[in-house]
């Protein structure tokens, strides 16, 4: 008993040791297990010590968005996995489920998030948005309307926007570089 | 008749605690294993230190309940000051207390009303305090309103447990309320389910689909979320929205009202705007009273053994009659907090990170295949994703003394292991 007290006091004199939080442990597990990431996705870390902030690049290998390189930022907060990460597309792209500010309409990023889901679930969800853009959950209403009514025109719009062209007066980011 | 010696120091103690002593003076049908009626258990109850975390709606009730239940050395910690909106239910505070520290006002109120009870307040964050502080308490009761604070408390108390020292095992009693719903639970570190084990049970903040708030609003909440989630960052990309700043709420209210009018939606008000932004669920005084009473009763049972504590979770629903249900939450084997295996390793400071990993791979008691290692501040070696693996690979050949401090904790995760391992690395 008294021994323990001494030990604790002794340690208390030094600088307080930051503790590893449950969010950190969980995120370390999520990331450390992701060694089978498909070649279409790449994660990068501006600071390797900061696992709470990272970037995702998606290069779809089929579908409307084939050939483009799409970038997202992930901000995970200390309440993970109680709260989902905040995910934003950093380019202005023409997509029914992503608005011009980069907000993404993906159910598991908001209303359907559960702590059993993980970073990989979000990557799968985002990848799917590029393979199967969904006209029923529009964030870019105009793009969704075109997708619903005229798939050929939608395809042309996507192709033009991806080269940095403009659609309906809006200029998009060149994602072919 | 002579008073029992233990109460002589407390004038009128026998009278004051008469009702409490009925449970402690003689054996009863509900007593738990190990209960011994008499002076010793009373003295123990009056002598142990108990910590109340939070001096808000639940905290006020808890302090009053505990002080009237025979706990006479109570500590309370809270970082908040009193707001005028607290006064309807946080009954230890008066209008003249607005702006003062909740913990301090609550403590002096109770001490004034219940002589013989000592309450020690701390006005500050739970994160300000270290293990030494938390280690002085026998029981910890939480009356918190955020998931984040609860997770911190839970992890801190559970990590403190040292199997060589039974005194480090601190029961946590956690109360929580949300409107007419509430719950109380007992967490016995490493023995029963902890807060993190049942994280997926916690109600999460109400959110609406992004496309609904962007395109098809039907509720006033949709308009407010549109203003706070989409419009605010567009207008103020570098300013964080603060739910307590009236200017910010006013701005959101203006935007949300305009949008609501456009879609013919009514009901956007200042208080709803603040409620949605801060995710406020109206607090009900009676829910707090019921949940706190349950928590204090469990503390009394744990402290005295006069009855068996509940096992281990009680839910209360008060909006359609009064309903309670008590059941056992199961411990999760892969819980990142209480499921984590703690091991101590001695290595030479000149050993490399690779040497440490080889040492771990050699151990038969933990079957590792591809371990990733981090401290709280640095990525030592990550197996994936590729960018992290490449960034941390140079660390493998570095001396441990360059990477970590003596006694530092390293978290190990592995694809083949559902749990995590906490290693304390000591240099020889
Ligand atoms: Zn647990």
């Amino acid at each position: 008993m008294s021994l323990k007290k001494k030990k604790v006091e002794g340690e208390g004199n030094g600088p307080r040791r930051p503790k590893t939080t449950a969010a950190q442990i969980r995120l370390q597990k999520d990331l450390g297990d992701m060694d089978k990431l498909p070649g279409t996705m790449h994660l990068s870390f501006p600071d390797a010590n900061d696992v709470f902030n990272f970037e995702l690049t998606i290069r779809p290998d089929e579908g409307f968005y084939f050939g483009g390189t799409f970038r997202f930022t992930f901000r995970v907060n200390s309440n993970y996995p109680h709260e989902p990460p905040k995910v934003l597309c950093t380019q202005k792209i023409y997509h029914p489920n992503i608005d011009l500010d980069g907000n993404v309409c993906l159910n598991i990023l908001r209303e359907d998030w559960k702590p059993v889901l993980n970073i990989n679930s979000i990557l799968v969800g985002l990848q799917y948005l590029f393979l199967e853009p969904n006209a029923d959950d529009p964030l870019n209403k105009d793009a969704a309307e075109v997708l619903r009514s005229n798939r050929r025109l939608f395809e042309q719009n996507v192709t033009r926007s991806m080269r940095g062209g403009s659609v309906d007066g809006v200029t998009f980011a060149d994602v072919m570089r | 008749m002579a008073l029992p010696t233990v109460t002589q120091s407390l004038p009128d103690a026998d009278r004051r605690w008469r009702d409490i002593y009925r449970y402690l003076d003689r054996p009863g049908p509900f007593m738990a294993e190990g209960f011994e009626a008499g002076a010793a258990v009373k003295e123990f109850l009056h002598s142990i230190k108990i910590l109340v975390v939070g001096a808000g709606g639940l905290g006020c009730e808890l302090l009053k309940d505990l002080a009237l239940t025979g706990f006479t050395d109570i500590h309370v910690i809270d970082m908040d000051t009193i707001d005028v909106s607290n006064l309807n239910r946080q009954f230890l505070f008066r209008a003249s207390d607005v702006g003062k520290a909740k913990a301090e006002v609550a403590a002096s109120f109770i001490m004034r009303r219940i002589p013989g009870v000592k309450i020690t307040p701390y006005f500050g964050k739970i994160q300000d305090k270290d293990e030494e502080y938390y280690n002085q308490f026998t029981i910890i009761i939480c009356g918190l309103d955020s998931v984040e604070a609860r997770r911190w408390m839970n992890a801190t108390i559970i990590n403190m447990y040292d199997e060589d020292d039974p005194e480090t095992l601190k029961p946590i009693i956690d109360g929580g309320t949300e409107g007419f719903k509430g719950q109380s639970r007992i967490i016995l570190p490493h023995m029963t389910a902890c807060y993190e084990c049942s994280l997926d049970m916690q109600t999460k903040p109400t959110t609406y689909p992004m496309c609904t708030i962007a395109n098809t609003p039907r509720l006033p909440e949709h308009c407010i979320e549109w203003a706070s989630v989409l419009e605010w960052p567009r207008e103020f990309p570098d300013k964080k929205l603060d739910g307590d700043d009236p200017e910010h709420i006013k701005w959101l209210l203006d935007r949300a009202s305009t949008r609501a009018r456009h879609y013919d939606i009514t009901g956007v008000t200042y208080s709803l705007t603040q409620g949605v932004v801060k995710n406020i669920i109206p607090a009900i005084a009676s829910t707090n009273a019921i949940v706190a009473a349950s928590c204090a009763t469990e503390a009394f049972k744990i402290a005295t053994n006069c009855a068996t504590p509940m096992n281990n979770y009680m839910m209360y629903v008060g909006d359609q009659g009064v309903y309670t249900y008590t059941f056992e939450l199961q411990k999760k084997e892969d819980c990142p907090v209480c499921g984590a295996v703690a091991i101590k390793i001695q290595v030479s400071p000149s050993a490399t990170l690779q040497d440490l990993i080889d040492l771990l791979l050699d151990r038969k008691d933990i079957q590792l295949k591809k371990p990733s290692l981090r401290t709280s501040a640095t990525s030592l070696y990550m197996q994936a994703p590729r960018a992290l693996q490449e960034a941390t690979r140079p660390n493998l050949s570095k001396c441990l003394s360059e990477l970590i401090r003596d006694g530092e904790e390293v978290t190990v995760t592995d694809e083949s292991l559902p749990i995590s391992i906490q290693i304390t690395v000591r240099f020889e």
Side-chain angles (χ1 to χ4, degrees):
Chain A
M1 258 309 289
S2 54
L3 263 178
K4 167 78 188 168
K5 278 251 154 62
K6 263 209 187 95
K7 198 174 95 193
V8 171
E9 275 160 23
E11 285 173 355
N13 292 336
R16 193 166 302 153
R17 198 176 298 151
K19 275 186 332 162
T20 306
T21 62
Q24 282 177 314
I25 298 174
R26 170 58 197 269
L27 198 50
Q28 175 178 336
K29 174 96 185 115
D30 277 15
L31 293 171
D33 290 1
M34 281 170 51
D35 61 347
K36 289 175 193 74
L37 213 55
T40 50
M41 291 193 271
H42 179 78
L43 288 175
S44 60
F45 293 76
D47 173 1
N49 291 327
D50 177 11
V51 288
F52 285 88
N53 294 286
F54 51 91
E55 289 156 18
L56 165 70
T57 312
I58 300 185
R59 289 194 175 98
D61 55 2
E62 54 179 314
F64 295 118
Y65 294 91
F66 173 72
T69 302
F70 302 95
R71 302 176 198 283
F72 294 84
T73 54
F74 278 60
R75 278 191 298 135
V76 186
N77 74 20
S78 58
N79 225 359
Y80 183 77
H82 179 62
E83 287 173 25
K86 290 209 171 22
V87 177
L88 274 182
C89 181
T90 58
Q91 303 144 308
K92 189 181 273 194
I93 65 171
Y94 180 80
H95 191 294
N97 312 111
I98 298 175
D99 74 12
L100 301 181
D101 295 318
N103 295 298
V104 183
C105 188
L106 180 63
N107 61 337
I108 57 170
L109 282 176
R110 281 177 70 81
E111 70 276 12
D112 290 333
W113 172 257
K114 295 182 199 68
V116 293
L117 297 173
N118 56 26
I119 301 295
N120 200 44
S121 328
I122 299 173
L123 300 199
V124 171
L126 289 174
Q127 164 117 317
Y128 189 72
L129 280 186
F130 285 98
L131 300 181
E132 291 287 337
N134 173 1
D136 298 329
D137 294 332
L139 214 48
N140 180 336
K141 254 198 301 197
D142 299 335
E145 188 46 46
V146 176
L147 171 61
R148 201 184 342 245
S149 58
N150 188 343
R151 281 180 80 88
R152 274 203 59 85
L153 178 61
F154 179 77
E155 192 172 355
Q156 287 165 13
N157 285 353
V158 169
T159 307
R160 181 145 32 103
S161 70
M162 283 174 33
R163 299 187 185 286
S166 53
V167 178
D168 299 329
V170 179
T171 306
F172 290 90
D174 180 355
V175 297
M176 303 302 285
R177 281 179 297 173
Chain B
M1 200 180 97
L3 289 172
T5 47
V6 50
T7 54
Q8 263 165 6
S9 59
L10 303 164
D12 302 327
D14 257 5
R15 244 191 24 225
R16 169 168 302 284
W17 310 119
R18 189 181 57 187
D19 300 307
I20 294 303
Y21 286 173
R22 283 183 210 283
Y23 295 97
L24 307 179
D25 275 330
R26 54 181 178 261
F30 299 111
M31 61 186 183
E33 214 175 304
F35 175 69
E36 276 184 51
V41 66
K42 296 182 201 169
E43 183 166 21
F44 185 72
L45 173 66
H46 294 318
S47 68
I48 58 172
K49 281 188 191 174
I50 185 163
L51 174 67
V52 176
V53 186
L58 270 174
C60 282
E61 292 280 353
L62 283 169
L63 288 167
K64 173 258 293 173
D65 290 347
L66 293 171
L68 291 171
T69 311
F71 291 92
T72 54
D73 191 353
I74 305 171
H75 289 237
V76 58
I77 179 165
D78 194 301
M79 62 182 282
D80 278 342
T81 54
I82 296 160
D83 184 80
V84 71
S85 66
N86 303 143
L87 299 180
N88 70 334
R89 62 191 185 284
Q90 300 180 17
F91 54 87
L92 303 177
F93 312 140
R94 298 291 172 268
S96 58
D97 297 323
V98 169
K100 295 182 190 160
K102 285 187 177 180
E104 288 163 7
V105 174
S108 59
F109 190 107
I110 297 276
M111 285 195 284
R112 221 165 38 238
R113 281 293 284 269
I114 312 174
V117 172
K118 188 175 102 195
I119 308 214
T120 312
Y122 174 73
F123 170 39
K125 286 159 71 170
I126 50 175
Q127 291 88 349
D128 293 347
K129 297 292 191 183
D130 56 12
E131 290 196 0
E132 193 185 346
Y133 174 80
Y134 291 110
N135 202 33
Q136 63 180 310
F137 304 107
T138 308
I139 300 171
I140 287 150
I141 301 199
C142 298
L144 290 163
D145 59 2
S146 90
V147 172
E148 200 168 354
R150 282 201 176 85
R151 288 177 77 191
W152 190 90
M153 255 341 285
N154 178 69
T156 300
I157 302 301
I158 285 171
N159 289 338
M160 266 167 61
Y161 176 60
D162 176 347
E163 56 186 2
D164 301 332
D165 179 3
E167 293 278 324
T168 57
L169 190 112
K170 316 277 179 195
I172 306 172
I173 301 169
D174 178 69
T177 66
E178 261 184 14
F180 283 102
K181 297 195 181 100
Q183 104 279 321
S184 62
R185 64 187 290 182
I186 297 177
I187 297 167
L188 300 175
H190 299 283
M191 296 162 74
T192 66
C194 81
Y195 190 75
E196 195 77 21
C197 285
S198 57
L199 191 64
D200 48 6
M201 243 177 49
Q202 304 312 317
T203 40
K204 52 182 187 103
T206 320
T207 47
Y208 304 95
M210 188 71 99
C211 41
T212 304
I213 64 173
N215 294 308
T216 51
R218 294 180 310 277
L219 301 171
E221 287 87 346
H222 293 157
C223 301
I224 297 166
E225 286 249 308
W226 171 82
S228 63
V229 175
L230 296 173
E231 288 300 289
W232 179 273
R234 186 175 298 162
E235 196 91 4
F236 309 108
D238 300 317
K239 199 174 351 163
K240 202 174 175 300
L241 182 59
D242 177 3
D244 288 316
D245 186 331
E247 293 286 311
H248 291 193
I249 299 296
K250 184 81 182 37
W251 188 90
L252 295 178
L253 175 63
D254 284 350
R255 291 294 169 107
S257 303
T258 310
R259 185 168 175 82
R261 263 195 306 280
H262 183 252
Y263 284 93
D264 229 357
I265 297 167
T266 54
V268 175
T269 61
Y270 185 90
S271 64
L272 184 71
T273 305
Q274 187 168 40
V276 168
V277 170
K278 295 182 70 182
N279 204 48
I280 296 174
I281 295 157
I284 310 284
S286 57
T287 311
N288 284 336
I290 289 165
V291 167
S294 160
C295 291
T297 307
E298 295 307 322
F300 181 66
K301 292 195 280 187
I302 290 173
T304 62
N305 265 332
C306 72
T308 309
M310 71 163 165
N311 185 25
N312 50 31
Y313 186 100
M314 188 274 293
M315 60 175 274
Y316 160 78
V317 185
D319 51 359
Q320 290 173 5
V322 171
Y323 175 77
T324 72
Y325 180 59
T326 303
F327 60 97
E328 183 180 355
L329 275 182
Q330 298 294 327
K331 203 168 171 307
K332 235 171 79 181
E333 292 310 318
D334 58 352
C335 171
V337 172
C338 73
V341 174
I343 56 176
K344 291 170 188 157
I345 284 190
Q346 290 258 347
V347 286
S348 148
S350 58
T352 61
L353 182 61
Q354 184 67 59
D355 293 337
L356 175 66
I357 291 175
D358 291 342
L359 211 67
L360 291 171
L361 289 172
D362 277 346
R363 284 181 69 134
K364 296 282 176 291
D365 55 338
I366 41 168
Q367 305 253 327
L368 295 173
K369 289 202 175 73
K370 296 172 83 180
S372 292
L373 285 76
R374 275 181 49 86
T375 67
S376 67
T378 54
S379 300
L380 297 174
Y381 184 67
M382 293 289 291
Q383 299 278 353
R386 211 175 62 217
L388 274 187
Q389 202 249 0
E390 282 164 6
T392 54
R393 198 184 299 140
N395 287 343
L396 289 174
S397 56
K398 286 187 190 159
C399 284
L400 283 173
S401 56
E402 278 179 69
L403 298 167
I404 54 178
R405 277 166 297 143
D406 185 25
E408 191 156 359
E409 273 203 355
V410 175
T411 303
V412 182
T413 58
D414 191 302
E415 209 178 12
S416 60
L417 207 64
I419 59 166
S420 63
I421 299 169
Q422 300 292 336
I423 330 174
T424 309
V425 181
R426 288 271 174 209
F427 292 146
E428 280 159 356

